[in-house]
Amino acid sequence: MSSLPASLPWIEKLVSYPTIAQTPNIELIEAVAAEFEKHGFTPWYTSSEDGQRKNLFVTLPAHDGTTSGGLVLSGHTDVVPVEGQAWDTDPFSATVKGDKLYGRGVADMKSYLAAALWMLPRFAEADRKRPLHFAFTYDEEIGCVGAPSMIAELKKRDVLPEFAIVGEPSSMHPIVAHKGAHRGRATFRGVAKHGSLAPYGVNAVAAAAKFVAFIEDMADDWLENGPFDDGFVTPTSTAGANFMRGGLQYNIVGEEATVEYDFRTIPAMTTQDVVARLERKLFDDLLPELQAKAERAERLSGAEAGSLREQVAIEHELLAEVPALQDRPDDEIVALGARLVGKPEVLEADPVKVTYGTEAGQYQQAGMGAIVCGPGDIAQAHTANEWIELEQVRECERFMERVLEWVQA
């Protein structure tokens, strides 16, 4: 077996923190902060509303004191749950078997963060001609909800990096574009009645089912009619209403129902266009239909006019909005990414676009050149017995060494 990666102790340490999305990551953040402080650099933070999860950001200034510009190495600290998965090893103990390393987060994406921390002493001692930044974020796995507050703070502090490399698993191949990722929730409220008196009630479950069917039809329309982007494995936007809950019992008219949906947009489409289409269905079609049924129920039952109509409602929330990463072949980050992976010609020959979303789209939207590049394969992310090839970790270490060369150039 080849020698173990030099960054393995940091991988083991980071994996040992069970930082499931929406649970505290404070212990991991404190350990990372202590490492930066040991080398003379003070992080700053933004937090979740409950204060249990933090983003960490730290700048290693250029030796002339410059803090704005340069490159940020960015990754999320949270991982997906392991509950219900059949693991052969302890998911929160990084375990080497042969030429692979197993553990929750080894691919997505603590190995990237570990490689950056392994290189930190050399970054700290270097004669830096450019600033180098590090971002450790929370709750990426539920829709990249942690990074926006950090990016907003960057703008306030006027230390916006010029470039961002997000280390999601890409087999160390730079990714120049990805789809936007969004999730939302629609809640329908009707009027409950005994099932034998159905016309005297208003069925929220039926309205929710029509919304589910609408989303399915919208996705089918995209698949058939586009718009298309052949750079993606699935060349159209996609959508699905993949969670629904409603009603109380089979013989009670459904009083409330909830639908949660997901849609992934190619860069040519905007979030706003899709949301507007969904809300036209909700508020120009389904809500008037619910109101008309409430008015009918009032007439049939002799209820006071408006008494049932005021009970029916539809609410809509966009729970996560991850912008697409736009393919900008002339952006300097594209050439820089190819240089840092040691393959200057790679993007020109084989530009890669992926269907999943990342924080790279948020960085690009804020004005930075952004790509995705990190060790491991997305196919291993989120799975039982999540693993990464040791050679991928070593390749990421070589990547960090080229980052060192770049900040000194």
Side-chain angles (χ1 to χ4, degrees), residues 121-135:
R122 291 167 65 184
F123 286 144
E125 295 172 358
D127 181 17
R128 297 181 302 277
K129 301 298 193 299
R130 302 178 173 96
L132 183 63
H133 315 270
F134 300 81

Side-chain angles (χ1 to χ4, degrees), residues 182-199:
H182 314 78
R183 63 187 181 99
R185 177 192 298 132
T187 302
F188 301 80
R189 293 191 172 85
V191 178
K193 281 291 177 182
H194 191 282
S196 66
L197 299 172

Side-chain angles (χ1 to χ4, degrees), residues 36 39-42 58-71 73 119-134 400 403-409:
F36 281 105
H39 293 282
F41 304 103
T42 302
V58 63
T59 297
L60 279 57
H63 278 170
D64 65 1
T66 301
T67 57
S68 189
L71 169 68
L73 301 173
M119 184 59 68
L120 178 58
R122 291 167 65 184
F123 286 144
E125 295 172 358
D127 181 17
R128 297 181 302 277
K129 301 298 193 299
R130 302 178 173 96
L132 183 63
H133 315 270
F134 300 81
M400 292 298 173
V403 172
L404 175 63
E405 293 171 1
W406 181 80
V407 298
Q408 296 179 108

Side-chain angles (χ1 to χ4, degrees), residues 215-229:
I215 291 175
E216 193 76 5
D217 289 343
M218 182 176 70
D220 288 343
D221 177 61
W222 288 339
L223 190 62
E224 293 294 325
N225 302 308
F228 299 98
D229 187 331

